[in-house]
Amino acid sequence: MLDIGMNRTCDCPPKHICCLTAKEWLKNQIGVWQFFYEKRDIRDKSVHPATYPIALSSRIISQFTHAGELVLDPFVGSGTTLVSAQDTNRNAVGFDLSENYVRLSRERLSNNRNLFTEARQMVIQDDARSIDRYLPTESVGLIITSPPYANLLNRKRKNKSRRNRKNEQLGKVEQYSQDPRDLGTMELDEYTENMGEIFESLLALLRPKGHCVINVPDMWWENQRITIHVALIEELRRRGYELRNIIIWDRTNIVNRIGIFGWPSNYITMGVTFEYLLDFWRPPIGKDLHQNPLDKPAVIAS
């Protein structure tokens, strides 16, 4: 087992789920979130093809954990979650198959070192399927990740928004790797099943009422909308998670150019302008997830 902290170091009341003030909490209840990139963010797709802003993971970590608690990212990629944990005084551990991404994450942590916190952040090169060997049950306060999006990136870039750019993306395959264990190489059905198996193994590590936030988009494939977010909601529910919220990450303020997709005969909403933040939790002990609240008998006044 890893030697890493997992308990609160703040003075918040026991029933509080985070250290936020009422004003900060209220801001997060708006179901559409926007973020800005900063200098520490990685936006070069040759370094990593799909990153989210530090501001995004920092807000989620602040909303669902206390200082000192343990954050887990099973697909840590460029290490943004770990940087946010460093900023917010949370312990954190990230896993990734790629040696290059593990090295990148460690470099970012080293460059962002905070001397005024005792929280630790670490990254491990291993398959997400092996995480339960590293952590004890009910030790994780929050799971947050942006996993591979099935085989969305495992094809040549063809869309019009890339044709006039000088960044050499048109025609490029941006997939993380061709490792057969990489979820980014899989068709949706296989991807969903593998995600389900991974997150089922992580459920026991999560504390009861601990949250799990997954960032995913949908995608268009051969003129069909592939609803990755719907597939994951259904699969994680089947594996024991309860969906609590769906937050829209509105990306319009950070998108530079949008191609005229489908005009004038085929209307397509732009996937690059928004993504989903799927907020699940591990249900309280004893809650029956299979009971439909709409099936409860009506109370008739006498």
Side-chain angles (χ1 to χ4, degrees):
M1 295 293 174
L2 294 179
D3 179 18
I4 190 168
M6 57 191 67
N7 297 316
R8 297 185 186 187
T9 57
C10 59
D11 297 322
C12 295
K15 291 187 177 181
H16 286 202
I17 70 169
C18 64
C19 303
L20 293 181
T21 65
K23 185 177 181 179
E24 291 167 332
W25 180 289
L26 182 62
K27 178 182 178 182
N28 288 352
Q29 285 190 294
I30 298 172
V32 179
W33 292 1
Q34 279 194 340
F35 303 96
F36 292 92
Y37 285 102
E38 57 171 283
K39 290 183 179 180
R40 295 180 299 163
D41 282 305
I42 292 177
R43 303 197 65 185
D44 184 346
K45 288 184 177 293
S46 66
V47 177
H48 192 283
T51 61
Y52 51 50
I54 294 170
L56 184 154
S57 46
S58 293
R59 183 185 289 194
I60 293 171
I61 289 171
S62 297
Q63 177 62 57
F64 294 122
T65 63
H66 289 268
E69 290 188 322
L70 180 60
V71 175
L72 167 64
D73 189 337
F75 307 99
V76 76
S78 65
T80 300
T81 298
L82 303 182
V83 172
S84 287
Q86 207 168 39
D87 288 350
T88 57
N89 193 25
R90 269 66 168 177
N91 293 289
V93 58
F95 291 81
D96 207 281
L97 285 172
S98 168
E99 181 180 356
N100 289 336
Y101 293 155
V102 168
R103 185 184 305 112
L104 174 61
S105 296
R106 288 173 178 161
E107 288 174 358
R108 294 184 75 190
L109 287 174
S110 178
N111 293 336
N112 193 59
R113 191 174 301 280
N114 186 347
L115 300 178
F116 301 99
T117 176
E118 295 181 358
R120 297 180 61 200
Q121 301 79 34
M122 60 180 67
V123 58
I124 296 171
Q125 184 181 356
D126 204 346
D127 195 321
R129 299 167 182 84
S130 302
I131 293 175
D132 57 358
R133 303 175 188 173
Y134 292 86
L135 297 170
T137 59
E138 299 186 4
S139 61
V140 175
L142 169 70
I143 300 171
I144 170 178
T145 195
S146 181
Y149 307 147
N151 54 2
L152 171 62
L153 298 180
N154 206 31
R155 51 182 171 154
K156 292 183 178 180
R157 305 290 90 192
K158 295 181 180 180
N159 63 53
K160 294 179 182 178
S161 64
R162 302 181 185 240
R163 292 183 183 175
N164 296 320
R165 296 182 183 181
K166 297 180 180 180
N167 55 11
E168 301 180 351
Q169 286 183 294
L170 182 64
K172 184 179 179 181
V173 176
E174 294 176 340
Q175 170 55 18
Y176 312 100
S177 77
Q178 296 302 323
D179 188 320
R181 298 171 296 171
D182 192 326
L183 275 69
T185 65
M186 300 177 184
E187 300 287 342
L188 183 61
D189 289 346
E190 182 185 6
Y191 167 82
T192 303
E193 178 70 18
N194 276 267
M195 283 285 286
E197 291 173 356
I198 290 169
F199 278 89
E200 184 174 358
S201 71
L202 299 180
L203 187 60
L205 306 182
L206 196 61
R207 294 173 178 172
K209 299 178 72 171
H211 285 251
C212 170
V213 180
I214 303 176
N215 166 222
V216 291
D218 287 342
M219 66 179 179
W220 285 88
W221 187 272
E222 297 180 351
N223 203 31
Q224 291 186 11
R225 187 180 182 91
I226 308 301
T227 52
I228 299 176
H229 82 284
V230 173
L232 289 183
I233 290 171
E234 293 176 348
E235 184 67 19
L236 264 69
R237 278 174 164 166
R238 190 169 70 86
R239 303 285 183 162
Y241 290 80
E242 179 182 348
L243 181 69
R244 299 295 293 178
N245 299 287
I246 297 178
I247 300 163
I248 302 299
W249 173 18
D250 176 8
R251 293 168 43 88
T252 52
N253 64 316
I254 57 175
V255 174
N256 295 323
R257 252 184 224 178
I258 300 175
I260 307 176
F261 291 91
W263 185 86
S265 58
N266 187 15
Y267 176 64
I268 297 174
T269 55
M270 285 297 300
V272 297
T273 61
F274 69 95
E275 294 184 9
Y276 301 94
L277 300 173
L278 305 178
D279 171 29
F280 302 88
W281 77 359
R282 179 180 173 181
I285 300 297
K287 182 170 183 179
D288 183 4
L289 274 183
H290 302 289
Q291 180 180 355
N292 187 341
L294 300 179
D295 293 338
K296 292 181 178 179
V299 177
I300 301 176
S302 57

